[in-house]
Each structure stands twice: as C-alpha cells, then as structure tokens.
C-alpha cells in the first residue's frame, strides 16, 4: 500500500479496514459497532439468557474480528447470556461440521450466531437439520448467501446483517 501511495496510485480499503496502512479511505460498515448492534439484537432475542455460540471463521481477520469483539462487548451487559466463541475455519463444509458438532454437544443451549458468511450459513443449516427452532433456539449472523437467504425466509434463523456492498462504493 505504501509503495502504491508513494508512486501516486490512490489506495482505498473496502470491507476490512487497516488504517495504519495509510490508505486514503475506508468503504464499509463500522465493523465493531455492527457487532455491538448484533449483540444487542441477540440480547433482545434471549431475554431469559442462556448459553450461546458465537462463530468466527478466522479469528483475528480484520473484517470479522471487530464484529465479534463488538458482540462480546454488548453481551457483557447481559450476564445471563453465556457466549462461547468458536473458530470454524474458512471452508464452508468444515464450518458446517464444526457448527453441527457444537450444537449436538450443547443440547441445552439457546442459540448460535456468526460473524461471517460461511458460518452464518452453517448456523442456519444446522438449526434446520437438527430441528432446533422447535426447541426454541435462536440464530443469526451476517451476509446473504443464497442458502442463508432461503433459510431466513423459511424461519430457520432470526436475522442476517446485509452490508449492502453495492451501496457502499
């Protein structure tokens, strides 16, 4: 980035921000604030609290770590909600396997939420596969994969957060 800028080539960041690079601008959502808003929405969905999972594909990634940090910060105000952060990896089949295993291993949990597209899709698929809505589980996350959209429309998850990238540029 610094080489490009010093050569007179404008550089902007999109979707993930790294201000220390010297980029000219960032185009995207406030990732931390978005995560806080997700955390508040989770709290509204679970007024009685309970154990939940927060899934993240790649911990430390500039585009999703701030989201999970924001969610965790918001959820600290609701001590009856007990979040566990679970890394799922970046390949969708592997994410689905890890999410399914967590759900099977935590039958008394109240919900699953994710901060990336693949994990959100896996949350929705797992809730459907295991019939968790009938047990009162809540779910949600980010992005609009076709499967996530279909399962949201079918009532398998409560929400997904669209970044509207086509409006950001």
């Amino acid at each position: 980035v610094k080489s490009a800028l010093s050569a007179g080539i404008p550089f902007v960041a999109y979707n993930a921000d790294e201000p220390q690079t010297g980029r000219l601008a960032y185009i995207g959502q406030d990732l931390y604030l978005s995560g806080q808003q997700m955390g508040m929405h989770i709290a509204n969905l679970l007024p009685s609290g309970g154990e939940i999972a927060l899934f993240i594909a790649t911990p430390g990634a500039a585009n999703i770590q701030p989201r999970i940090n924001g969610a965790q910060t918001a959820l600290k105000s609701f001590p009856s909600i007990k979040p566990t952060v679970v890394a799922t990896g970046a390949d969708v089949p592997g994410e689905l396997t890890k999410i399914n295993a967590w759900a099977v291993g935590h039958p008394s949990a109240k919900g699953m939420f994710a901060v990336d597209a693949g994990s959100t899709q896996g949350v929705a698929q797992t809730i459907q596969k295991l019939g968790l809505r009938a047990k009162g589980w809540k779910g949600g996350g980010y992005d609009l994969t076709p499967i996530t959209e279909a399962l949201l429309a079918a009532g398998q998850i409560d929400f997904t957060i669209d970044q509207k990238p086509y409006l950001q540029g």
Side-chain angles (χ1 to χ4, degrees):
V1 173
K2 290 179 182 175
S3 295
L5 291 171
S6 66
I9 301 168
F11 190 92
V12 299
Y14 171 79
N15 191 45
D17 193 18
E18 294 287 352
Q20 68 276 13
T21 64
R23 51 83 177 137
L24 298 175
Y26 166 64
I27 302 164
Q29 67 183 193
D30 181 321
L31 300 166
Y32 183 80
L33 178 60
S34 176
Q36 286 182 305
Q37 292 298 310
M38 183 177 89
M40 295 303 294
H41 194 62
I42 292 167
N44 287 333
L45 290 171
L46 297 168
S48 299
E51 180 184 16
I52 65 167
L54 296 174
F55 295 106
I56 180 170
T58 47
N63 62 329
I64 55 179
Q65 186 66 48
R67 291 176 180 169
I68 208 156
N69 291 348
Q72 289 178 292
T73 297
L75 291 171
K76 285 179 183 174
S77 298
F78 302 92
S80 65
I81 298 176
K82 309 291 185 204
T84 299
V85 174
V86 180
T88 57
D91 88 310
V92 174
E95 288 174 289
L96 180 57
T97 298
K98 288 177 182 163
I99 292 164
N100 190 72
W102 189 90
V104 169
H106 297 84
S108 64
K110 300 297 180 190
M112 300 184 294
F113 304 90
V115 296
D116 60 273
S119 296
T120 298
Q121 177 177 309
V123 162
Q125 290 174 296
T126 297
I127 288 173
Q128 179 187 45
K129 176 184 173 186
L130 300 178
L132 298 175
R133 291 301 266 188
K135 297 174 183 174
W137 282 45
K138 304 295 183 184
Y142 282 83
D143 298 321
L144 295 171
T145 68
I147 292 171
T148 297
E149 285 186 85
L151 292 175
L152 175 64
Q156 295 300 315
I157 56 174
D158 298 282
F159 68 90
T160 191
I161 300 169
D162 175 17
Q163 299 175 71
K164 298 196 182 313
Y166 43 87
L167 296 177
Q168 294 178 9

